Amino acid sequence: MLIKISKSNQLNENSVTDENIYHSRRKAIKQMGFMGAGALLASSFSNQAQAGFFDDEPETFKTTKLNFTSDNNKELIKTPEKKIISHNNFYEFGTNKTDPQEKAQQFNTNPWQLTLSGECDNPHTLDYDDLTKAFPLEERIYRMRCVEAWSMVIPWIGFPLASLIKKAAPNSKAKYVAFETLYDPKQMPGQASRRVGGGVKYPYVEGLRIDEAMNPLTLMSVGLYGKTLPPQNGAPIRLVVPWKYGFKSIKSIVGIKFLTHQPPTTWNILAPKEYGFYANVNPEVSHPRWSQASERRITTGGLFARNRIATLPFNGYGEEVASLYKNLNLKNHF
Ligand SMILES: Nc1nc2c(c(=O)[nH]1)N[C@H]1C(S)=C(S)[C@@H](COP(=O)(O)O)O[C@H]1N2
Ligand SMILES: [Mo]
């Protein structure tokens, strides 16, 4: 194979770091005794084949155009759509980055029901059509920073979670909001097999403090690049919390519940010393096994188009959200 490497794009030590991290995240799972050696081996093989996959694989899922207004955030260079829909974490469909695109195409997201319940005056359920029609849709171009130290810039379509919460009318006891992904092992091979699903306890669950959930940046996303969400990105509706590590942005949500107490969250259950409840992007607080000071921004195509940049506090959204944490020690509450 002939590979042309231009000076500016050379593969250096830094640019492979997040792949190492990915393996090390999986290794931790394995050490906890959740995963067979076979799975780990298979994964490292397909990981090597991953670069070529981005450019060759056709899109097979169906999307629909959406009507929205755009915030036109011009400083951010968007990650190409092809990358956003082919480099995914969605362990319900497998733990390799390419598994969700390969295995989620038959995922049936219509009909769908999203139920709001718990400490609120107006518990209710949204059907599939409500998801794109109940609230005016906006485009929000956000940075997305995975805890594995790669990042993208994604043009999401959605509506503020605050609009949905106001409709549910939480009462004064509601201090936290819990989210739950669909549980359907017949459709989600990772839920049917511990090996495929990486040892995660399903359904995938997440949570926010209610003031975080009400922050205007917090989005319920129903689309990207002007169209409905592909299944691998969390169709038909997922959370986007741009100042937190990507694992907080839970996909394919069926339940939202208002609680008096902090809910358990998936990665915190799996490895509490490594993944906290808050998970605010913080270059000064290292993961126990790797630094969070920089990240690989996924921009244009191919294995060699790698871009190492400094990670920003709160992923660049400090002006909007730092005040939420003025009484919190962010080292202890990582
Ligand atoms: N239900 C569910 N939600 C999930 C995940 C998952 O495995 N299952 N992975 C999380 C992680 S680690 C990241 S980085 C983002 C990835 O979102 P994307 O694939 O749309 O980029 O989804 C998050 N939401
Ligand atoms: Mo992530």
Side-chain angles (χ1 to χ4, degrees):
M1 189 171 60
L2 243 166
I3 303 171
K4 224 175 101 192
I5 304 173
S6 76
K7 265 236 165 79
S8 61
N9 283 341
Q10 264 182 40
L11 186 66
N12 57 33
E13 218 183 309
N14 273 347
S15 63
V16 294
T17 303
D18 72 292
E19 212 129 307
N20 299 339
I21 287 168
Y22 161 77
H23 286 298
S24 124
R25 202 179 181 190
R26 287 175 57 94
K27 201 169 147 211
I29 294 170
K30 201 196 157 206
Q31 280 163 353
M32 287 177 259
F34 289 127
M35 219 190 305
L40 207 68
L41 205 69
S43 123
S44 55
F45 276 118
S46 56
N47 228 34
Q48 281 162 11
Q50 200 169 291
F53 176 86
F54 287 134
D55 305 313
D56 307 332
E57 206 63 20
E59 308 170 20
T60 53
F61 51 84
K62 290 194 186 82
T63 52
T64 310
K65 275 197 176 163
L66 291 166
N67 285 322
F68 56 89
T69 55
S70 178
D71 79 345
N72 260 323
N73 192 338
K74 289 203 181 80
E75 317 107 74
L76 292 172
I77 299 166
K78 289 181 272 180
T79 297
E81 184 178 6
K82 253 192 166 169
K83 289 293 181 67
I84 297 172
I85 64 174
S86 63
H87 180 275
N88 299 101
N89 275 333
F90 198 169
Y91 277 26
E92 284 84 341
F93 294 98
T95 57
N96 285 312
K97 293 289 176 283
T98 50
D99 282 338
Q101 193 195 42
E102 283 171 18
K103 295 179 184 158
Q105 299 316 322
Q106 304 308 315
F107 181 37
N108 188 11
T109 57
N110 183 10
W112 192 267
Q113 291 200 314
L114 167 56
T115 297
L116 289 101
S117 64
E119 298 289 351
C120 63
D121 296 336
N122 183 32
H124 66 281
T125 296
L126 302 181
D127 290 324
Y128 181 82
D129 285 334
D130 303 327
L131 303 178
T132 50
K133 294 192 177 113
F135 305 98
L137 298 181
E138 308 167 31
E139 178 175 67
R140 299 275 187 93
I141 303 171
Y142 283 159
R143 300 175 201 88
M144 214 275 291
R145 170 62 157 82
C146 177
V147 75
E148 295 164 352
W150 52 267
S151 66
M152 299 189 186
V153 173
I154 304 182
W156 300 108
I157 314 290
F159 53 86
L161 174 59
S163 308
L164 187 55
I165 291 180
K166 280 177 198 153
K167 200 180 157 203
N171 63 38
S172 61
K173 287 192 269 178
K175 305 288 186 231
Y176 291 88
V177 188
F179 304 84
E180 192 169 306
T181 295
L182 177 72
Y183 183 72
D184 187 355
K186 285 209 175 88
Q187 291 205 77
M188 293 169 150
Q191 293 180 338
S193 150
R194 265 177 110 65
R195 182 183 57 77
V196 177
V200 168
K201 183 175 173 277
Y202 295 104
Y204 195 103
V205 289
E206 259 304 336
L208 295 171
R209 241 170 39 192
I210 194 146
D211 57 342
E212 299 177 316
M214 291 297 291
N215 187 276
L217 285 180
T218 306
L219 199 70
M220 291 299 281
S221 170
V222 294
L224 57 85
Y225 267 103
K227 295 165 288 183
T228 51
L229 280 179
Q232 59 269 39
N233 293 90
I237 190 161
R238 59 93 57 84
L239 184 68
V240 179
V241 195
W243 71 94
K244 293 179 180 283
Y245 291 118
F247 65 82
K248 298 294 290 182
S249 293
I250 180 174
K251 295 177 168 180
S252 304
I253 301 169
V254 294
I256 296 180
K257 195 166 182 181
F258 301 98
L259 301 175
T260 57
H261 56 278
Q262 184 179 305
T265 55
T266 286
W267 277 92
N268 182 253
I269 295 168
L270 195 62
K273 295 198 174 101
E274 306 196 359
Y275 309 101
F277 174 80
Y278 280 93
N280 293 318
V281 174
N282 192 340
E284 282 167 21
V285 176
S286 297
H287 184 276
R289 292 175 289 120
W290 61 82
S291 161
Q292 295 290 24
S294 72
E295 67 204 50
R296 176 171 70 93
R297 173 62 52 81
I298 300 179
T299 52
T300 50
L303 179 62
F304 300 104
R306 300 195 145 182
N307 223 348
R308 177 100 355 215
I309 59 175
T311 289
L312 302 170
F314 300 107
N315 205 22
Y317 302 101
E319 225 170 276
E320 288 90 343
V321 302
S323 64
L324 294 172
Y325 310 105
K326 56 180 184 289
N327 300 319
L328 199 72
N329 179 330
L330 295 171
K331 275 210 161 73
N332 299 341
H333 297 274
F334 55 86

